[in-house]
Amino acid sequence: MGDVIVISGGGSVEVGTDTLFTAVAALARAETELAAGMGEVASIERLVGPSSAGFPGFGPVMAADLEMDAALLTLARARASAAALATALHGAATAYGEAERVTQTTAEQVAAGIAYQLGVQLAPFTPLMIQLGRRLWPAILGSAGSSSGSSPWLAPIKLLVERRDSAFVVRLAVMSADEFGTGALRLPLGSDPSHRVAGDQGLSTSIAAIRDLGRTDGLLQETPIITARSSSDTAPQAIPTGWADRAGRIPDKGTTDQVRIDTYERPDGSKSYEVYIAGTRDFGLGPDDQPWDMTSNLAGIEGSEAGSIVAVENAMKESGITGDSPVLITGHSQGGLVAARIASSGEYNVKGLFTLGAPAAQSAVPAGVPWIALEHSNDIVPALSGRWAHSDPVIVTRDVGPLELARDPHFFAVHLLPEYEKTAALTDVSGDPRVGAVTRSFDDFTAGATPVLSEYYTSVRERSVTSDSPPAAR
């Protein structure tokens, strides 16, 4: 399963493996070629048909004419078979998509009821659960990216969070958080005015409550942001050649840089840009000096102005990007969330998005922005933003198998960039037309452009934070 990707979204209800959609595309090409072949045979037949009667040697011509009739019939049957098979495969993909939708809706309804009852029963223990969570959080998520061998007790947690379909379970739990809160408050189910409709309205309310709880202990507070260019390269890499190439340009944890911005010069002398945004760097709850932290994660999912968003906007402004500048944005994890939030703001001329493992499901990106979102079925991070409610990107999903994960000693390897680079490489060779359409839009963006500059940016939080500090400052 590790080399199989499943394609969904992109304005279609169809869901299926890349192999299925590649077969559909091949059948469509075969139908077109068979139709062209029929046209060619028919043209020849008109030339040697009845008009040749009376000429010497007409017998062989008549025999050839009969053979051409038989060939036309065979081609017509083959064309009909190709069309029928393509229709059947489309039907299978549509049925798969509809079944998945029904399963998701039913599961959400069941999960909501269970969460409400848990809230009612566990209400007396809620303060204890909160305190326990505060103590366990740094010990568990603080080890993300480290070797699981350094903490033996992390091994069972690694197995638990990397199970197949773990994201599905987490997505249900996240979308049921407001029902749990309603039950804990002993309110009738559905009486809370913030209660969502169809499972997409209560997430921001739940996150706001978590952030309010954190602030009582001086945690999860946004701060002013300081951004500086750390380095620049006037001999940048060539134009990226695909999704894996773009994934490889995201700043990794081996550097303090969080943002890379490439400047292109177009044939007409104008400039365009590609922005690459790193994932979460600090899993603590604060206070800290890292804008790529859990404070920004929660603020970004909630829809507030996160420190990492401000930092990227600072870097974009410093590099010369204006509201009119054409720009592509690529981001991993929190970087993908930031990319989606910037695109949804309407303040920038975003021409395309590429996100990897991003909790961006609550971002309302305009439908006209081409967007490919990579997710792993056992990566719980994208699921932390609930289900896709306001945007419809082309979603490429891969199930990273247990053998692959066992070979990687890092805690939560399924979410780290190396695994997503593998998924990006599979996306590069996808035959799905939805993937192809977004690929062409990115290729059109860079066509004829010349890379002239690569800049790297690092941002920090100001340490002098008080309860009266503004959420963020550019």
Side-chain angles (χ1 to χ4, degrees):
M1 290 294 292
D3 59 351
V4 176
I5 56 176
V6 175
I7 316 294
S8 61
S12 172
V13 298
E14 294 183 339
V15 178
T17 64
D18 182 60
T19 303
L20 183 150
F21 292 117
T22 299
V24 169
L27 287 167
R29 290 193 299 271
E31 185 182 0
T32 300
E33 292 172 3
L34 288 166
M38 290 175 64
E40 292 175 5
V41 172
S43 296
I44 297 172
E45 187 179 34
R46 284 193 293 271
L47 293 176
V48 299
S51 60
S52 301
F55 285 90
F58 177 66
V61 172
M62 179 63 74
D65 186 59
L66 292 174
E67 290 295 331
M68 282 187 283
D69 286 339
L72 282 172
L73 182 59
T74 300
L75 289 170
R77 287 173 175 169
R79 180 186 179 189
S81 296
L85 184 53
T87 299
L89 291 178
H90 273 300
T94 299
Y96 185 178
E98 288 293 339
E100 189 174 74
R101 181 187 62 80
V102 171
T103 299
Q104 178 73 35
T105 301
T106 303
E108 283 183 3
Q109 293 172 348
V110 172
I114 293 174
Y116 178 78
Q117 292 300 325
L118 283 174
V120 172
Q121 299 299 322
L122 298 178
F125 306 101
T126 301
L128 177 62
M129 294 166 61
I130 292 173
Q131 292 300 323
L132 184 62
R134 286 174 177 169
R135 291 180 179 275
L136 289 179
W137 182 273
I140 297 175
L141 291 185
S143 300
S146 66
S147 172
S148 61
S150 61
S151 301
W153 65 275
L154 285 177
I157 297 177
K158 173 180 168 68
L159 292 175
L160 179 64
V161 299
E162 293 180 344
R163 285 177 59 88
R164 284 195 172 117
D165 294 326
S166 58
F168 179 77
V169 175
V170 170
R171 207 178 296 270
L172 289 179
V174 167
M175 297 311 297
S176 302
D178 57 333
E179 279 87 3
F180 180 88
T182 301
L185 293 173
R186 303 298 177 90
L187 297 172
L189 186 60
S191 64
D192 182 355
S194 68
H195 190 81
R196 70 178 185 271
V197 178
D200 61 6
Q201 299 298 319
L203 184 57
S204 61
T205 303
S206 301
I207 291 177
I210 293 172
R211 296 182 68 203
D212 286 342
L213 285 170
R215 290 190 188 100
T216 62
D217 287 344
L219 306 177
L220 300 176
Q221 297 187 66
E222 279 298 352
T223 68
I225 301 297
I226 302 173
T227 301
R229 183 191 296 111
S230 57
S231 64
S232 60
D233 184 0
T234 55
Q237 290 176 264
I239 294 291
T241 57
W243 304 116
D245 193 349
R246 284 188 167 89
R249 300 186 185 204
I250 298 172
D252 61 26
K253 292 185 177 181
T255 174
T256 58
D257 302 321
Q258 304 123 336
V259 180
R260 167 180 171 169
I261 299 180
D262 288 355
T263 302
Y264 302 147
E265 185 174 297
R266 294 183 162 187
D268 62 2
S270 63
K271 292 182 179 179
S272 57
Y273 303 84
E274 286 215 44
V275 179
Y276 301 91
I277 311 172
T280 302
R281 293 292 178 81
D282 187 337
F283 288 87
L285 304 177
D288 52 61
D289 60 0
Q290 173 59 258
W292 268 253
D293 57 4
M294 292 308 298
T295 300
S296 287
N297 268 326
L298 291 175
I301 296 174
E302 179 194 3
S304 302
E305 191 168 58
S308 54
I309 295 175
V310 173
V312 173
E313 290 180 333
N314 288 346
M316 291 171 68
K317 181 179 180 180
E318 181 70 19
S319 71
I321 297 175
T322 69
D324 297 323
S325 304
V327 60
L328 298 177
I329 312 181
T330 293
H332 169 241
S333 189
Q334 183 177 162
L337 169 62
V338 172
R341 284 289 311 282
I342 288 175
S344 64
S345 71
E347 297 178 8
Y348 299 92
N349 186 18
V350 178
K351 295 297 186 181
L353 280 179
F354 177 38
T355 60
L356 307 89
Q362 298 299 308
S363 301
V365 176
V369 177
W371 182 3
I372 283 199
L374 305 189
E375 295 187 352
H376 293 154
S377 61
N378 40 352
D379 180 2
I380 64 174
V381 173
L384 292 174
S385 60
R387 69 175 174 84
W388 292 94
H390 310 292
S391 300
D392 189 22
V394 177
I395 302 174
V396 179
T397 306
R398 182 166 74 98
D399 180 10
V400 184
L403 291 180
E404 292 177 80
L405 297 174
R407 289 192 292 265
D408 192 325
H410 291 93
F411 180 73
F412 208 25
V414 69
H415 177 65
L416 300 183
L417 193 53
E419 281 298 334
Y420 273 103
E421 290 186 70
K422 296 176 186 177
T423 307
L426 292 171
T427 306
D428 276 327
V429 295
S430 169
D432 181 82
R434 289 169 290 185
V435 172
V438 182
T439 300
R440 285 190 295 275
S441 69
F442 273 63
D443 290 344
D444 290 344
F445 181 92
T446 56
T450 302
V452 295
L453 182 65
S454 289
E455 298 172 298
Y456 300 85
Y457 291 87
T458 300
S459 296
V460 296
R461 293 186 181 277
E462 286 190 4
R463 291 180 179 272
S464 54
V465 182
T466 68
S467 59
D468 297 325
S469 295
R474 292 179 175 81

